[in-house]
Structure formats: C-alpha cells, structure tokens
Amino acid sequence: MRKLVFESQLLVVPVFMLLWMTLLVLAPVSEQLVTPSKSMISLQFPWTVFFQGESMDLTCKGFSSHSPQTTKWYLGREELKNRASTLNVHQSGDYKCQADDLPESNTVHLDFSKASLILQGPLDVFEGESVRLRCRARAKTELNTLVFYKNNEALILPNNSPELHINGANLEHNGEYHCAGYKETCCEASSNTVRIQVQVLFPRPVLRTSSNKPTEGSPLTLTCETQVPPQRSHVQLQFRFLRNSQTLGSGWSSSPGLQIPAMWREDSGFYSCQAKTLTLDEIGARPWKERSASISLPAEHSGNYYCTADNGYGPQRSEAVRLSIIKRFSPILYKFYHEYIPLGSSSTPSAGGASFGFSVTAEHSGKYYCTAENSFSSSQRSEAVSLSVLVPVSRPILTCRSPRAQTVVGDVIELHCETLRGSPPILYKFYHEDVMLESSTTHSRRGTSFRVSLTAEHSGNYFCEASNGVQTQRSDTMTLSVTIPVSRPVLTLRAPREQTVEGDMVELYCEALRGSPPILYNFYHEDVTLGSSTAPSGGGMSFRFSLTAKHSGNYFCEASNGVQTQRSNTMTLSVTIPVSRPVLTLRAPREQTVEGDMVELYCEALRGSPPIQYKFYHEDITLGSSTAPSGGGASFNLSLTAEHSGNYSCVADNALEIQHSEVVTLNVTVPVSHPVLTLRTPRAQAVVGDEVELHCEALRGSSPILYWFYHEDVTLGNSLAPSGGGASFHLSLTAEHSGNYSCEADNGLGAQRSEAVTLFITGLTESRSGPVASGITGGLLSGVSLVAAALLLHSWFSRKAGQQAASDPSRCSSGSNPQDPTYHNVPGWVELQPVYMNGEDQRHPALAGPKGWCGKDLGLEMRRNYTQTQKV
C-alpha cells in the first residue's frame, strides 16, 4: 500500500495578544469524525463473482469485530431463517446483516454465474491498495488466448496471465474491467464486468483545540481528527503536529493528540497536523526465505536432467543438463539421429548392436541415421534411412470469428475449421444442424474457413469434419446465437371503454414483434419518461396508470435489446372528463324581479370535456336546451310573467355523465292592476245613518297589497291584504258623506287608483222638516226654490263631472259593481256644515286632504257647492 499524507492547519494566537481573533480561528474540540457503529459483512474470499455451484461464507460482526449474540440475515428484502453469525451462500443477490441491535450493514451483492468465463474482483478498493483481478474459466473449458479490457480497451499482459495486478490504486484506475478469450473448440467467450471505484482511505484531517479561549500559562490539547473506514480498520495511521512548519514533539506518532503543558506568548503562530499511512517497510515486512533441494544419483542414470519449482502460482522448469557416467571398461556407444537431431543413445559391451524404440508421430517422417564410438575409435556414422509417416487427422477445432462479441443479424462471420494433426490433403466439411453448408480441401494443416452473412435462421448448432483418407474426425458442436435487432415497436392502449374517461385504469402495451431478448421497454408522455420494464424472454410489456386530465397528450415507447433502439409511432390520448355539478345563476336587471323583466338563466359546469349540452327546467318542465361546443356555460332568456315564479334548475350532459344543479327559486313580483271600488249599502237609496262598506280589490298583483280609501281625495283610511285579494272600509253615513269615492292599491311596484264612484244620500233631519210643514205656501215656494236649486246644482255637477272625465278619464270616471247599489248623480242634497275646532276654521276630515287626482282641491269644491246651494 502506498503512503498517503494529508495536512490540516490552524492559527493559534494567545488571548492576551489578540482576543477577538481567537473567536474567529479557534475551534473547540467538539463532534468527532467517528463513523456510527453499525454491522459489517466480511467475506471468506476477496471476490464477489463465482461460478454457479460454488459457495462462500459471509460473517456478520460489529465494527469492533466482536461476535454478535444475535444476527439477522437478509437476501434482498426477505429475512432469512439463519441466525448464526456466519452464513454459507450460493445464490446470487443482495445480502445484508444486522448484528445485535446495531444498524444494518451495507449491501453486499454476490453473483453466482452460469457463464463459462468470469472476472473476479474485490468488493471495494481504497487508494494506495494493491488490487488483483482474476479471470477464471469454468472447469474443462480451455482458452487459446486471454485478454483483459479496461473501458473496452485491451490491456497488454505478459505470458497470457489470467490475473491483472494493480499496485497503488488511484483515481486513474477507476473504470470497468472485463476479460475475454477464444475457446479451443468454439468461439469467443466474454466475462462479466467488474467496476473499480477507488475510494478515499481516510479524509483530510481536522485540527481542533481543547479550548476556544486559551490564556497565557494554561494547557492546550491539539487533536488531529481523521479516521479510516471500518472495512480497513487494520490500517495504521501516523500523526505529526507542526508550528510554523516546524515539527513539534518527537515527530510522527500513532497518537492523534498533542498536549502542550502551557501556552505562552512565544507559542503564537500557525499550527497544523499531518496524517499518513504506514508503508510496508515501516510496518516491518519481512522478505521470503530462500530454499534449495538436492538429489543423489547412481551411476547407471546417465542422461538429461531438469528440475521444477512451484510456489502455488504454477510450476517453472529449469534448463536440461546432460549427465554421462563413464564406467571403467570401454563399451560401444550408439547414438540415434533424426534429421541431425539426437533421439537417444545406447551403450553395449565391446561387441553387438543397440536399438532405439519410439512411438511414431507425424513429426517422425524424415531421414534417420546412427553413430557408434568407443574409447578406441572415433565416431562412425551409418547410412541415412528415410521414414514416411502417414498421420490420421486429429479432431478438428471449429472457431467463430465475428466483428463483435455478440453476433447480430447482418454480421458476416467466419467459421474456421482446423485440425492440428493429420497428413494432407485434408477435406473439411461445415455443418449446421446436420445440414452441410460447404466443403473444401487443403494441402496443409492450416485449416479452411467459411463465411456467412447472418440471418435469424443461422442460430443453432455448428460443427465441422476433417478427413484425409486415413481417418475422419468431427469437431465439438458450437452453438451460435444470432442476436436480432429489435423491430419498431407497436404501442397500443388498452382501456375499459372506447372513450377514455378520467379515473379509468388504462394500460399502455409496447411490443417489438422481432428482436432477441431481453428487451428493455421505456414509456414516454410528451418526451417525459413514465417508466421502464424488461421482457427477459421477449414479447411486450405494459405500463398501467389511472387517468387524470393531465394525461391527455402524445405517447410513444422505445424498445432496446443492446443492439438497437427503436421508437414506436406517436399515439394521442384524449382523456374525457365527466361534467361536474353545474351552477345555475339568474341574471336579472334588478334585485327584485318584476313581471315583464327579461331575465337570463346561466348554467355552467366548471369541469367537463366538451361538447356539453345544457337543459333548463322550471318545476321539472323543460324550458329549452343549449350546447356549448367548446365548453363553458350556456344561457336561456325568459320574459317574466306571474306564472314564472317557482323553482328552476339545469342539467349538464357531455355523454359521460349527467349532473343536476341545485334548485334556484325565482319569485316574480306582479304590479297591481287598477282596483275596482264597490259601495255596498243596505238599501237601494242610501240614507243618512246607513252603514256603508267600501270594498276595493285589484284583480292582479303580488301580495301583500295595501289599499287606501278616499272621499273626494281625502284619505279615509287604509287596509292591508297580506295574501292578496280585496279590502273593505266601513262608514256610517252622514249628510257630509255624499260625493265621489275612490281607492288605491299598492304593492311596492307602483300605486293604482280605481275609478271614482259617486254617492248621493237622501233624507232630511227633523230640524229641517218642521218649518216645511207649517204652511202650504211657504212650502211650495220653498219646494220650487229647492227644485230649481237642485236642478241648477245637478247641472253644475254634471258639467263638472264631464270636465273631470275629459281631463283624466282613468281617475275621474265612475264605476259600478252590478252586485251592489251604485250611487251617482242623485238629486238629493245634504247640508254640509263646517266644523270649528279650537277657535280656528278647521276643515272636516272629509273635506281636508291632498290634491285630487284631477288637479283640484276636492274639499274646496265641496265647500263651494255647499255655499251655492245655500244661496239658491
């Protein structure tokens, strides 16, 4: 591990020199940089990838490395039944543990692979460490070549080593690693990817002080705070403190604290601390001891000797040494050669021959000779003998050469068949599922090739045959999987009804009809990702969601299988919204609606997809309907009559839902019509003393109605009809009550006056009848005078009445009720006497009052009539 050094600085100034500065730069010892205690998993082997069928042990412990009393194990989110601190695992997945009551450990992902080639790497890597990546082939799988890759770039390693070593890891070594090689009997094999992410071994230290207000002469403790991760708790750190770049104390130490017994003025300055890891030399690593071996041989073991050494990383062989042991006698030494290459030797007594036997191989074809020599003569050479060895073909090897690790439709691959042994010529044949594709003859052992442009039908098993007339051999079967790029996917919408409605659960289904699995599907709404799903065995995938108004818009999906990414056509989804409960509003020209007003009924549903049809109702009777093609509300205009009072409502309908508004009550106020005044008397001719009922009634008008009664425009009284109808006023007749009567009806919308009705009262009092009966002559003269005066007064009243009728026929004309006696223009006279009160000339209530509706003071007219009558 390389040495790592970090430094922290702090300015310390005694309080008596610059107290305010200490508040800015001195930090008291507070929260320590200590990782909270939690559970931790340690691995039996420093790898996270294994072959299927292998297993390893996981051990759960706390950071203090103690053995927990209780342990919980988790695979994914599922809690395992094992409660031991060590768990033997052989299944891929994410493992976690919890030791005692400590927090759960970090997740450890293990992969037990079915692949023929795997790359094993460490769980985590910290800076400065040595890293070993090991490329392993499954048992009985042999590779011709082995190459390591970093970020898909090949790394050159010596001797085709199955291991990649990284010394002193740093950020430059971050990346994705994998290995690949060619199988002897098949094609290229590629391993999994191992991601190396070098982590910081320990953070930059923080220098803290024991006091934020040091005083002269007081002690001060400096603490250099940092910490190695729990996974590397065995790493030792060294600390050093400095003032103004000068080392304090004894220099590097394993203690993170420095005690200054007393701070003085001269101790002011810049303080800093450093932390570093120990190197192997500093830890005290020892070299391996060298060892040797020896052997003793008897004399008869002459020949070539070598030795091997193995330290667990593979045997190494020494150079061969030839050992010749000479006996005391001088035998004949025979040596055998093949093409000048020594094959062997044999020693015999002074006479006789020698033999050399061997098993013939293809390499043994050629010329052979031997030599003989002894101590008495030099070496003698024999004649050469030629040997021709016909070699049967060995089992051929079929390999696949493709432009990429994963073969794709359209790629041009090369199938190469080669036998390592066999006498030429050699006939090669290529087969796909027992169907011969090609044959070719070669006159060497270098093999032959066959090129194929791949289609989906080319997936399957391949083999080749080699034959040289001596023997026919078949290669191992090679399986070729041709990856098919995904076709353009088709996006369909599955909904519970033809028209999608807010709140419906809909399903987007995306499917690529062609393409090798696994296929990753992504769903989009207006270029915003909704979600993704993988179809491991091909086919399509779905995405479900509940519709809201915001889901209207364009949708599409993408399909990808690592070879190609295809996008579907865009599909537009219109989410129909049922209408909400409409609101009915009455728009009138005034607060109180009056008969004849034009009112507008306005109905509007605040939510709902158009078109919306609105219907208007009055007491469950349809008034009319209107359609809002683009949404919004609709109106219905109504000219009010008395019959329009009542309850109104409206209905909104957009073919999805029908909603009724709340009921709105409309009260139509009807102005009163001209009332009819009727005089009801007990006899046909009213007489002084009779009880007369004045009855006034307006046939139309909203209640309540207030009725006013008038005699010659002088108010007699009023009466209220709360529920409509007429009202009466009773009057006991006196002589002054002759004259015109009328009434008014008012319900707050304008008063209406009835036509005038004239009442004549007959009969004289006893005080006037006595003198008349006292003499005939006087009575006649008086009678003639009275008749003349009556005729004159009648003529004047008639003329007056005609003038009044001409000036205002609606208010000055008389009317009658056929059911009651009606009095008008009767030639009977009643003496009208003025009434004097409090010494002043006060008008009788019947003579006083407002101006008449004909523009004259009726009380004044009646007094004038009375005066003229007296004169007559």
Side-chain angles (χ1 to χ4, degrees):
M1 180 183 294
R2 68 182 180 91
K3 179 170 66 176
L4 300 179
V5 181
F6 287 105
E7 182 174 351
S8 176
Q9 294 186 347
L10 178 66
L11 175 63
V12 177
V13 181
V15 67
F16 55 82
M17 293 182 61
L18 194 58
L19 179 59
W20 63 269
M21 183 174 290
T22 64
L23 300 178
L24 297 177
V25 299
L26 288 181
V29 176
S30 57
E31 182 181 357
Q32 302 295 311
L33 299 176
V34 177
T35 305
S37 181
K38 61 184 298 186
S39 306
M40 183 174 63
I41 295 178
S42 63
L43 308 179
Q44 178 186 6
F45 305 108
W47 319 113
T48 58
V49 180
F50 302 88
F51 284 118
Q52 199 169 62
E54 298 177 335
S55 65
M56 72 171 297
D57 291 337
L58 302 179
T59 302
C60 185
K61 54 188 177 181
F63 281 167
S64 60
S65 300
H66 71 280
S67 179
Q69 296 181 357
T70 61
T71 305
K72 294 181 181 179
W73 289 98
Y74 299 90
L75 176 56
R77 296 183 177 179
E78 179 183 358
E79 183 176 352
L80 304 180
K81 295 181 179 180
N82 194 310
R83 291 292 184 268
S85 59
T86 298
L87 176 69
N88 183 263
V89 297
H90 53 80
Q91 181 180 355
S92 299
D94 295 328
Y95 290 86
K96 291 192 302 183
C97 77
Q98 183 178 12
D100 296 331
D101 296 328
L102 296 176
E104 293 180 355
S105 68
N106 295 333
T107 299
V108 174
H109 179 78
L110 299 180
D111 186 11
F112 291 88
S113 175
K114 297 180 180 179
S116 58
L117 186 67
I118 63 173
L119 178 61
Q120 295 180 313
L123 177 63
D124 43 35
V125 177
F126 289 90
E127 57 183 343
E129 293 182 340
S130 295
V131 181
R132 183 161 64 110
L133 299 177
R134 185 169 68 167
C135 190
R136 288 182 59 198
R138 188 177 289 276
K140 298 181 181 180
T141 300
E142 296 183 1
L143 299 177
N144 289 337
T145 58
L146 190 63
V147 180
F148 281 86
Y149 294 86
K150 176 187 177 184
N151 298 330
N152 293 323
E153 292 186 3
L155 303 176
I156 305 301
L157 298 182
N159 301 326
N160 199 28
S161 173
E163 292 190 356
L164 172 63
H165 292 269
I166 300 174
N167 294 320
N170 54 47
L171 297 180
E172 295 179 355
H173 296 114
N174 288 344
E176 295 183 347
Y177 293 79
H178 75 277
C179 63
Y182 281 94
K183 298 180 182 179
E184 288 189 354
T185 60
C186 180
C187 52
E188 183 183 22
S190 183
S191 74
N192 56 288
T193 298
V194 173
R195 181 175 179 81
I196 298 298
Q197 182 68 45
V198 179
Q199 305 178 51
V200 175
L201 182 59
F202 62 94
R204 181 177 295 277
V206 176
L207 180 60
R208 300 186 183 275
T209 62
S210 59
S211 173
N212 61 350
K213 295 181 179 180
T215 58
E216 190 172 18
S218 63
L220 186 68
T221 300
L222 301 179
T223 304
C224 195
E225 294 183 356
T226 188
Q227 184 173 317
V228 295
Q231 301 93 314
R232 300 296 185 268
S233 58
H234 62 278
V235 175
Q236 301 179 31
L237 295 181
Q238 292 282 298
F239 301 92
R240 182 171 66 171
F241 295 88
L242 304 98
R243 184 185 69 215
N244 297 331
S245 301
Q246 298 296 320
T247 302
L248 298 176
S250 58
W252 290 103
S253 168
S254 60
S255 174
L258 176 65
Q259 176 72 42
I260 300 177
M263 289 290 294
W264 303 104
R265 183 185 305 270
E266 55 271 18
D267 293 326
S268 301
F270 286 95
Y271 284 76
S272 63
C273 72
Q274 295 176 339
K276 71 172 183 178
T277 58
L278 290 177
T279 63
L280 293 176
D281 292 337
E282 292 170 322
I283 294 174
R286 296 179 179 87
W288 292 98
K289 291 184 178 180
E290 296 181 0
R291 298 179 182 272
S292 61
S294 61
I295 188 171
S296 60
L297 296 173
E300 59 269 18
H301 285 173
S302 297
N304 296 324
Y305 288 84
Y306 64 90
C307 66
T308 62
D310 190 355
N311 63 350
Y313 289 95
Q316 296 294 326
R317 175 174 170 171
S318 69
E319 295 291 335
V321 176
R322 181 169 183 80
L323 179 63
S324 298
I325 304 176
I326 301 176
K327 296 183 178 179
R328 293 180 180 178
F329 56 88
S330 179
I332 301 174
L333 177 63
Y334 293 94
K335 296 181 181 179
F336 298 88
Y337 294 88
H338 174 216
E339 302 288 353
Y340 304 105
I341 299 175
L343 294 176
S345 63
S346 180
S347 179
T348 64
S350 57
S355 300
F356 180 78
F358 58 91
S359 179
V360 176
T361 66
E363 291 77 13
H364 289 132
S365 293
K367 294 181 177 181
Y368 290 81
Y369 65 91
C370 66
T371 63
E373 62 178 275
N374 61 10
S375 58
F376 302 103
S377 65
S378 61
S379 177
Q380 297 293 322
R381 176 176 172 176
S382 71
E383 294 289 333
V385 176
S386 295
L387 176 65
S388 179
V389 179
L390 188 62
V391 182
V393 292
S394 62
R395 191 170 190 178
I397 297 173
L398 178 64
T399 58
C400 176
R401 299 170 182 175
S402 62
R404 66 189 90 193
Q406 187 178 23
T407 54
V408 179
V409 169
D411 285 351
V412 176
I413 66 169
E414 182 180 76
L415 297 176
H416 182 76
C417 187
E418 182 178 357
T419 179
L420 300 180
R421 297 176 65 253
S423 300
I426 301 175
L427 174 65
Y428 291 96
K429 295 181 180 180
F430 295 88
Y431 293 87
H432 175 217
E433 304 290 357
D434 294 327
V435 176
M436 191 179 73
L437 301 174
E438 180 78 2
S439 64
S440 178
T441 300
T442 65
H443 295 275
S444 66
R445 292 194 302 269
R446 296 188 336 190
T448 187
S449 298
F450 174 67
R451 296 170 66 86
V452 181
S453 180
L454 294 179
T455 65
E457 291 73 20
H458 284 125
S459 291
N461 297 318
Y462 290 80
F463 64 89
C464 67
E465 285 183 348
S467 175
N468 64 349
V470 178
Q471 190 174 11
T472 299
Q473 292 275 19
R474 172 181 288 193
S475 71
D476 289 336
T477 299
M478 177 187 71
T479 302
L480 179 64
S481 297
V482 180
T483 303
I484 305 171
V486 291
S487 60
R488 190 171 191 178
V490 177
L491 179 64
T492 56
L493 175 69
R494 297 174 178 176
R497 65 190 93 191
E498 182 177 357
Q499 188 178 22
T500 53
V501 180
E502 184 180 37
D504 284 351
M505 181 64 71
V506 299
E507 177 184 16
L508 294 175
Y509 183 76
C510 186
E511 183 177 11
L513 300 181
R514 294 181 68 253
S516 299
I519 301 175
L520 173 66
Y521 292 95
N522 285 292
F523 296 86
Y524 296 88
H525 176 214
E526 303 292 356
D527 295 326
V528 177
T529 303
L530 296 175
S532 62
S533 187
T534 300
S537 303
M541 293 301 294
S542 300
F543 180 79
R544 294 170 58 85
F545 58 97
S546 180
L547 290 180
T548 66
K550 296 179 180 178
H551 286 127
S552 292
N554 297 320
Y555 290 80
F556 64 89
C557 67
E558 286 183 346
S560 175
N561 64 348
V563 178
Q564 191 172 13
T565 299
Q566 293 275 24
R567 173 179 289 193
S568 71
N569 291 329
T570 299
M571 178 188 70
T572 301
L573 175 64
S574 297
V575 180
T576 308
I577 305 172
V579 292
S580 60
R581 189 172 190 180
V583 177
L584 179 63
T585 306
L586 269 64
R587 298 173 178 175
R590 66 190 89 194
E591 183 176 358
Q592 185 178 20
T593 53
V594 178
E595 185 180 36
D597 284 350
M598 182 65 70
V599 298
E600 177 188 10
L601 302 177
Y602 182 75
C603 186
E604 183 178 11
L606 299 181
R607 296 181 72 253
S609 298
I612 302 175
Q613 184 184 35
Y614 294 95
K615 291 184 179 180
F616 298 86
Y617 294 90
H618 175 216
E619 303 291 356
D620 296 329
I621 297 175
T622 304
L623 296 176
S625 63
S626 182
T627 300
S630 303
S635 299
F636 181 80
N637 294 322
L638 192 65
S639 181
L640 295 180
T641 64
E643 291 76 15
H644 286 132
S645 291
N647 295 322
Y648 288 81
S649 62
C650 67
V651 169
D653 182 6
N654 67 343
L656 294 177
E657 195 167 352
I658 299 176
Q659 292 279 8
H660 293 260
S661 71
E662 293 185 354
V663 174
V664 176
T665 302
L666 174 64
N667 293 316
V668 180
T669 306
V670 182
V672 293
S673 60
H674 286 284
V676 177
L677 177 63
T678 305
L679 300 182
R680 298 173 180 173
T681 60
R683 65 191 84 223
Q685 180 69 41
V687 180
V688 172
D690 283 349
E691 183 77 23
V692 177
E693 177 186 3
L694 303 179
H695 183 76
C696 187
E697 183 173 3
L699 299 181
R700 294 182 72 255
S702 299
S703 57
I705 302 174
L706 178 65
Y707 291 95
W708 291 87
F709 295 89
Y710 298 94
H711 175 220
E712 301 293 352
D713 277 347
V714 177
T715 302
L716 297 177
N718 59 60
S719 180
L720 182 66
S723 303
S728 298
F729 183 80
H730 294 271
L731 184 66
S732 181
L733 294 180
T734 65
E736 292 82 3
H737 289 140
S738 291
N740 294 320
Y741 288 83
S742 64
C743 66
E744 279 184 352
D746 188 3
N747 65 349
L749 300 177
Q752 294 288 344
R753 178 72 66 95
S754 71
E755 294 184 356
V757 176
T758 304
L759 175 64
F760 289 99
I761 303 174
T762 61
L764 300 174
T765 61
E766 293 182 358
S767 60
R768 299 291 302 272
S769 62
V772 174
S774 62
I776 295 174
T777 304
L780 291 175
L781 291 175
S782 300
V784 173
S785 300
L786 290 173
V787 171
L791 292 174
L792 180 61
L793 184 59
H794 173 68
S795 175
W796 183 85
F797 271 115
S798 298
R799 187 166 62 251
K800 286 288 186 180
Q803 293 174 354
Q804 293 173 355
S807 64
D808 190 357
S810 66
R811 302 188 69 175
C812 300
S813 61
S814 62
S816 61
N817 189 334
Q819 297 178 359
D820 298 314
T822 303
Y823 301 93
H824 57 89
N825 298 332
V826 179
W829 307 106
V830 179
E831 182 178 7
L832 300 178
Q833 298 291 342
V835 180
Y836 298 91
M837 299 178 65
N838 299 328
E840 299 179 357
D841 184 6
Q842 301 288 341
R843 298 182 181 180
H844 191 276
L847 303 178
K851 292 279 186 174
W853 55 92
C854 296
K856 297 183 179 181
D857 190 335
L858 298 184
L860 178 60
E861 291 295 325
M862 295 183 67
R863 289 197 301 275
R864 289 175 179 173
N865 293 341
Y866 171 76
T867 303
Q868 293 176 0
T869 303
Q870 291 294 86
K871 289 181 180 179
V872 174

